[in-house]
């Protein structure tokens, strides 16, 4: 992690058991677009999907990024385009990585509205 406090790792827990993670990082896939920072590594345990854990992690990363002065976040997704679109993320372009189709998405952060 960098000393400026922008990068962050979050872990969601239920009864002190980790059930999900999400990261805010400066650099994502290589070679990648010359964009920064990135929401990355969103993983939720299969038994906890559909219960709001992923949404809470994404919103917490967005809130942290906004508080650090970030204006726009980026992410790549292979299968969760609908999930992110429902949270207000915009598709930028379809990319290919190792023969897999992925979507580059972005979200402009609102610094005037508190996030929950």
């Amino acid at each position: 992690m960098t000393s400026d406090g922008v990068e962050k790792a979050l872990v969601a827990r239920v009864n002190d058991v980790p059930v999900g993670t999400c990261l805010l990082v400066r650099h994502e896939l290589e070679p990648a677009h010359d964009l920064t920072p990135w929401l990355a590594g969103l993983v939720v345990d299969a038994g906890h999907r559909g219960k709001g854990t992923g949404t809470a992690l994404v919103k917490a990363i967005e809130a942290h990024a906004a508080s650090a002065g970030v204006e726009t976040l980026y992410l790549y997704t292979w299968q969760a385009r609908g999930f992110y679109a429902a949270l207000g993320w915009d598709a930028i372009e379809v990319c290919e990585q190792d023969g897999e189709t992925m979507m580059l998405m972005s979200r402009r952060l609102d610094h005037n509205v508190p996030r929950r």
Side-chain angles (χ1 to χ4, degrees), residues 54-112:
T55 297
L57 285 166
V58 169
K59 288 183 182 236
I61 287 291
E62 290 173 356
H64 172 74
S67 72
V70 172
E71 292 185 15
T72 305
L73 274 177
Y74 301 91
L75 65 79
Y76 287 114
T77 184
W78 286 260
Q79 299 174 351
R81 295 172 191 151
F83 169 78
Y84 290 111
L87 293 177
W89 288 74
D90 297 311
I92 297 176
E93 72 178 85
V94 174
C95 312
E96 293 288 326
Q97 176 80 17
D98 300 326
E100 299 276 339
T101 301
M102 62 186 177
M103 177 69 68
L104 171 63
M105 300 183 84
S106 71
R107 175 142 167 91
R108 184 129 174 99
L109 302 178
D110 185 349
H111 295 273
N112 298 321

Side-chain angles (χ1 to χ4, degrees), residues 2-19:
T2 62
S3 61
D4 65 7
V6 172
E7 291 189 315
K8 185 91 167 171
L10 299 178
V11 177
R13 297 177 186 273
V14 173
N15 297 324
D16 209 33
V17 175
V19 297

Side-chain angles (χ1 to χ4, degrees), residues 15-48:
N15 297 324
D16 209 33
V17 175
V19 297
T21 64
C22 194
L23 305 171
L24 176 62
V25 297
R26 289 206 178 276
H27 304 288
E28 187 50 297
L29 301 171
E30 297 294 335
H33 296 83
D34 188 24
L35 303 169
T36 190
W38 297 84
L39 183 147
L42 176 63
V43 178
V44 175
D45 178 82
H48 291 273

